[in-house]
Amino acid sequence: MPTTKRPPPDNLLLAALPVEVRRRLIGESAPVELNFAETLHESGDTIRDVYFPLNGFISLITPADGRAQLEVGLVGSEGMLGVSVILGVDTSPLRALVQGTGTAWRVDVAHLSRVLEDSGPARALLNRYLYVLLTQLTQSAICTRFHLVEARLARWLLMTRDRARANRFHVTHEFLAYMLGVRRVGVTSAASALQKRKLIHYARGDISILNSRGLAAAACKCYAADRKTYARIMA
Amino acid sequence: MPTTKRPPPDNLLLAALPVEVRRRLIGESAPVELNFAETLHESGDTIRDVYFPLNGFISLITPADGRAQLEVGLVGSEGMLGVSVILGVDTSPLRALVQGTGTAWRVDVAHLSRVLEDSGPARALLNRYLYVLLTQLTQSAICTRFHLVEARLARWLLMTRDRARANRFHVTHEFLAYMLGVRRVGVTSAASALQKRKLIHYARGDISILNSRGLAAAACKCYAADRKTYARIMA
DNA sequence: ATACGTCCGTTCGCTGGCGTACAGAGCGAC
DNA sequence: GTCGCTCTGTACGCCAGCGAACGGACGTAT
């Protein structure tokens, strides 16, 4: 279930490009569908296409030994999936999983490379985005290590809302547990605590954010820190 | 106290550059000293110089709220300090702290940028290094989340040995605790367990690796994974 | 020799999260 | 309506790591 609608959905990176570059990049093509639970990149595999989401959101997941796994990044309308291509490596270090149905511009890797070679502004923009991603990654590392599940959950919900541009999305406790690297029960108790405080509402995999101010207060500082960095670097 | 000596110490990145680029980059200059406990970059500050260590090692530390902090990266003779410059951002996202005394080539940021503009191979090389750093960062995130202190300690010691090119270095339990994001007592018990198994020896801040095979077995897979990635990408 | 600072060892109670297991509740298919 | 599946709630024992505190050992300076 997609969700709320806002007038002009565009990918923020593409929107920041010079028009001619943007035109050359995505040309006449139409955005593709991002289907729930679809794996766009598998860890270790060769990347053929990169994606610039318009809505929906994509989780970047690192597989660990055993069943353990952990989400280390989140890509939505503010970013791009497949940054390693910018660095000239077309092997994906992470698994990219569509968590929120939506649409995205898809660009062939070779084509992107050609455009990047010719356009300094495009290189600069994507490099800056990469820098942001890097800082978010370190922030995630800290967060995962030190913060309580409840605060981390609140942060995740807010980040997702921003990226998907929707206050309501489909995620079960079980999936959240995978993302946060904790047990499902841990998510259940954290989520029910947030629900009791009327910050969110959920039922059978549908989560709505009721009070984002309150949720931000319940989240760890990492959320604010990430936003600040994005604003500062991408401005 | 530096430590063991090996014949031709060079920075691996510089060694991989075309000779004329390397010459242009570091010219006639001499390597500078890296002094123990010196802060080369402060988080949020402007980066003036980048460093290519020959020996010694530098910790990349992210400050969290409170006293909590966490090492998210380690730079030695295999890499470079100040990668964000490659991305066109001269604000350091992390604190860079000299942990192992040594020497390094220091390069002015503006100069590096000019060289990078002209040299495709240099860009490609540093981009690949950045990719490696990125994967190591995600690996660290996993490690920090899921693995036991003892295994993480073993990994840290091995990584440090590789970067500093020395089997012996000066680090107190207290500093290790900061790096690993745990209590000092946690380090003490993990270290003493390793020492009992004759894998390491330590006394008053001097740590020696006695049996690196055994230590590798005690470490989590992250160590091997990191090495593998480095070899694959930088080869 | 003494005094002080650094570094390491150990202990105690506490708790957040783990692994596991089971039970109810909603929803769709038939 | 009933069955089966998915999703959520709750409970129980367990443990790694936490915070705090104290004591001893080693070096170095005076």
Side-chain angles (χ1 to χ4, degrees):
Chain A
M1 278 138 240
T3 39
T4 61
K5 287 166 193 164
R6 306 227 176 148
D10 193 6
N11 178 279
L12 296 190
L13 290 181
L14 291 181
L17 283 176
V19 273
E20 69 275 12
V21 177
R22 178 203 159 100
R23 178 165 293 172
R24 181 171 165 211
L25 203 55
I26 59 176
E28 310 299 320
S29 65
V32 299
E33 290 287 323
L34 300 179
N35 296 314
F36 180 71
E38 183 182 3
T39 297
L40 298 178
H41 295 162
E42 192 55 74
S43 165
D45 282 6
T46 299
I47 301 176
R48 298 175 179 285
D49 302 287
V50 304
Y51 295 82
F52 296 88
L54 302 173
N55 47 41
F57 57 102
I58 302 163
S59 283
L60 304 179
I61 298 167
T62 108
D65 33 45
R67 268 186 320 257
Q69 56 175 21
L70 187 59
E71 185 192 76
V72 294
L74 209 43
V75 177
S77 57
E78 92 310 342
M80 157 189 169
L81 170 63
V83 284
S84 49
V85 169
I86 304 173
L87 299 176
V89 181
D90 64 352
T91 304
S92 177
L94 301 167
R95 195 145 64 86
L97 187 67
V98 176
Q99 288 274 24
T101 303
T103 54
W105 297 103
R106 179 171 61 195
V107 178
D108 177 74
V109 165
H111 184 221
L112 175 67
S113 301
R114 264 178 270 122
V115 173
L116 282 182
E117 265 177 42
D118 298 345
S119 166
R123 274 203 306 276
L125 182 74
L126 292 188
N127 278 339
R128 287 212 307 281
Y129 172 62
L130 187 47
Y131 176 90
V132 170
L133 216 59
L134 210 108
T135 63
Q136 287 184 356
L137 228 148
T138 69
Q139 196 73 44
S140 276
I142 288 258
C143 193
T144 302
R145 174 72 188 84
F146 294 113
H147 299 154
L148 300 188
V149 176
E150 189 176 318
R152 292 177 57 207
L153 174 59
R155 176 187 175 219
W156 192 93
L157 293 171
L158 289 169
M159 287 180 63
T160 301
R161 184 201 53 163
D162 296 344
R163 279 156 186 77
R165 301 199 244 228
N167 277 310
R168 183 158 168 264
F169 30 84
H170 184 82
V171 202
T172 66
H173 291 186
E174 178 119 32
F175 256 70
L176 284 169
Y178 285 140
M179 297 304 106
L180 301 176
V182 299
R183 292 169 314 153
R184 198 225 67 209
V185 246
V187 174
T188 299
S189 62
S192 79
L194 295 176
Q195 180 160 252
K196 259 178 201 132
R197 284 189 264 153
K198 310 265 189 204
L199 302 178
I200 64 174
H201 174 76
Y202 63 91
R204 298 192 68 72
D206 269 326
I207 298 196
S208 306
I209 295 179
L210 301 181
N211 174 353
S212 44
R213 282 281 182 87
L215 200 54
C220 47
K221 314 279 174 105
C222 302
Y223 174 63
D226 275 353
R227 281 183 71 97
K228 201 173 159 192
T229 305
Y230 188 91
R232 186 165 55 85
I233 303 297
M234 301 306 287
Chain B
M1 279 141 238
T3 38
T4 62
K5 287 167 192 166
R6 306 229 177 147
D10 193 8
N11 178 279
L12 296 190
L13 289 181
L14 292 182
L17 283 177
V19 274
E20 70 275 13
V21 177
R22 179 205 159 97
R23 178 165 295 172
R24 180 170 165 210
L25 203 56
I26 59 177
E28 309 301 321
S29 64
V32 300
E33 291 287 324
L34 299 178
N35 297 313
F36 181 71
E38 184 182 2
T39 298
L40 297 178
H41 295 162
E42 192 55 73
S43 166
D45 283 6
T46 300
I47 301 177
R48 299 176 179 283
D49 302 287
V50 303
Y51 295 81
F52 296 88
L54 301 175
N55 46 41
F57 58 102
I58 302 163
S59 283
L60 305 178
I61 297 168
T62 108
D65 35 44
R67 268 186 318 256
Q69 57 175 23
L70 186 60
E71 185 193 75
V72 295
L74 209 42
V75 177
S77 57
E78 91 314 337
M80 157 188 167
L81 170 62
V83 284
S84 50
V85 169
I86 303 173
L87 299 176
V89 181
D90 64 353
T91 304
S92 177
L94 300 168
R95 196 145 63 87
L97 187 67
V98 176
Q99 288 272 22
T101 304
T103 54
W105 298 103
R106 178 171 62 195
V107 178
D108 177 75
V109 164
H111 184 221
L112 175 68
S113 300
R114 265 179 269 121
V115 173
L116 282 181
E117 265 178 42
D118 299 344
S119 165
R123 276 202 305 276
L125 182 75
L126 292 187
N127 278 339
R128 288 214 307 283
Y129 173 63
L130 187 46
Y131 176 91
V132 170
L133 216 60
L134 211 108
T135 63
Q136 288 183 355
L137 227 147
T138 70
Q139 195 72 43
S140 276
I142 289 257
C143 192
T144 302
R145 175 73 188 81
F146 294 113
H147 298 154
L148 301 187
V149 175
E150 189 176 318
R152 292 177 57 208
L153 174 59
R155 177 187 176 222
W156 193 93
L157 293 172
L158 289 168
M159 288 181 61
T160 300
R161 184 202 52 163
D162 295 345
R163 281 160 185 74
R165 302 200 244 227
N167 277 311
R168 180 157 169 265
F169 30 82
H170 185 82
V171 201
T172 66
H173 291 186
E174 178 119 31
F175 257 69
L176 283 169
Y178 284 141
M179 296 305 105
L180 300 176
V182 299
R183 291 171 313 152
R184 199 223 66 207
V185 274
V187 173
T188 299
S189 62
S192 78
L194 295 177
Q195 180 160 252
K196 257 178 202 132
R197 285 190 264 151
K198 310 265 188 201
L199 302 178
I200 64 173
H201 174 76
Y202 62 89
R204 297 192 71 72
D206 268 326
I207 298 197
S208 305
I209 296 180
L210 301 180
N211 175 352
S212 43
R213 283 281 182 86
L215 200 54
C220 47
K221 315 280 175 107
C222 302
Y223 174 62
D226 275 354
R227 280 183 71 97
K228 200 173 160 192
T229 305
Y230 187 90
R232 185 165 56 84
I233 302 298
M234 301 306 287

